[in-house]
Amino acid sequence: MKIFDDEKDLLMDHEYDGIRELDNHMPTWWLWLFYFTIAWAVGYMVYYYMLGGPTQEELYEQEMAAAAEQYGIEPEGEEGGEAEASDFTWAFLEDQERIEEGREIYMSNGNLCFTCHGANGEGMVGPNLTDDLWIHGCSPENIANGIIQGYPDRGMIPYGSGSRLSDEKVQSLISYIASIQGTEPANAKAPDPRAEPCSL
């Protein structure tokens, strides 16, 4: 092993199979990083185990609540869980605010309607929502029930993503769907063979 002149004073006494070790000091940046990890570990232990910092379960609940607020997801509770039959009177509204609310729901990441039906309702994996051919009927009740119950055998779970909406929000959503009838968007999907003429 070649030993440079400036390394002679740094050589340590031990040797293993001709391998010798230099007595180099640790780099300053490495030492400060090491001290930082010690300080971090002490602070972590004091905050989470001695001062009552949030547990993993509490942090999970906080993140779920933040996600529900960000994506407009209805929290589970009296309105959550499995969809139940209701005596709500369904209708296509002409109120522009409700139609706009429906468009926002349609385009939201909470219910994901646009991911299957296209941003303009032209149809992708799901059918075209802008023509007058419907598979399951086109009355307000038909469309609302389709949203609420979904078509799991065709890949659509209730409310599109399983994130339940109030009846009022479903009303807004079906009103938006009614508002895009006859808009003839580009790249419209070909009609499903099972679809039949139906006018809203």
Side-chain angles (χ1 to χ4, degrees):
M1 179 179 70
K2 183 177 180 179
I3 300 175
F4 296 100
D5 292 339
D6 58 350
E7 294 179 336
K8 290 178 179 177
D9 295 336
L10 297 174
L11 281 173
M12 301 184 76
D13 296 333
H14 52 260
E15 178 178 341
Y16 303 97
D17 295 332
I19 299 174
R20 303 185 67 182
E21 183 182 7
L22 294 175
D23 187 16
N24 285 323
H25 293 291
M26 299 298 293
T28 303
W29 65 267
W30 193 98
L31 288 173
W32 277 110
L33 181 61
F34 180 64
Y35 298 146
F36 174 77
T37 59
I38 294 174
W40 177 273
V42 172
Y44 183 94
M45 183 180 68
V46 170
Y47 179 66
Y48 286 102
Y49 293 96
M50 301 176 70
L51 298 180
T55 63
Q56 288 184 336
E57 291 76 11
E58 291 170 338
L59 289 172
Y60 171 78
E61 293 297 333
Q62 291 172 8
E63 292 182 5
M64 291 296 290
E69 181 178 355
Q70 179 178 355
Y71 296 113
I73 299 172
E74 292 286 345
E76 293 198 0
E78 292 183 358
E79 292 189 348
E82 296 293 329
E84 298 178 354
S86 74
D87 56 0
F88 192 85
T89 301
W90 300 105
F92 299 130
L93 306 178
E94 296 183 357
D95 184 324
Q96 288 302 311
E97 289 187 6
R98 295 293 298 275
I99 291 174
E100 176 60 21
E101 180 185 46
R103 191 192 70 80
E104 292 176 358
I105 294 169
Y106 183 90
M107 295 298 295
S108 75
N109 291 323
N111 294 92
L112 304 173
C113 309
F114 70 98
T115 60
C116 291
H117 295 286
N120 298 305
E122 69 274 21
M124 296 173 70
V125 176
N128 182 352
L129 298 178
T130 66
D131 60 19
D132 59 356
L133 297 170
W134 293 78
I135 302 173
H136 303 286
C138 66
S139 70
E141 292 79 9
N142 293 149
I143 299 175
N145 288 334
I147 293 169
I148 293 171
Q149 301 298 331
Y151 301 101
D153 58 326
R154 307 291 297 178
M156 176 179 167
I157 59 178
Y159 299 98
S161 66
S163 176
R164 189 174 184 185
L165 297 168
S166 67
D167 288 343
E168 288 294 337
K169 289 189 175 181
V170 174
Q171 183 92 298
S172 296
L173 181 55
I174 67 172
S175 298
Y176 170 69
I177 293 171
S179 75
I180 61 175
Q181 288 299 290
T183 52
E184 300 181 355
N187 303 315
K189 184 178 181 180
D192 188 292
R194 299 167 299 158
E196 297 180 355
C198 185
S199 298
L200 275 65

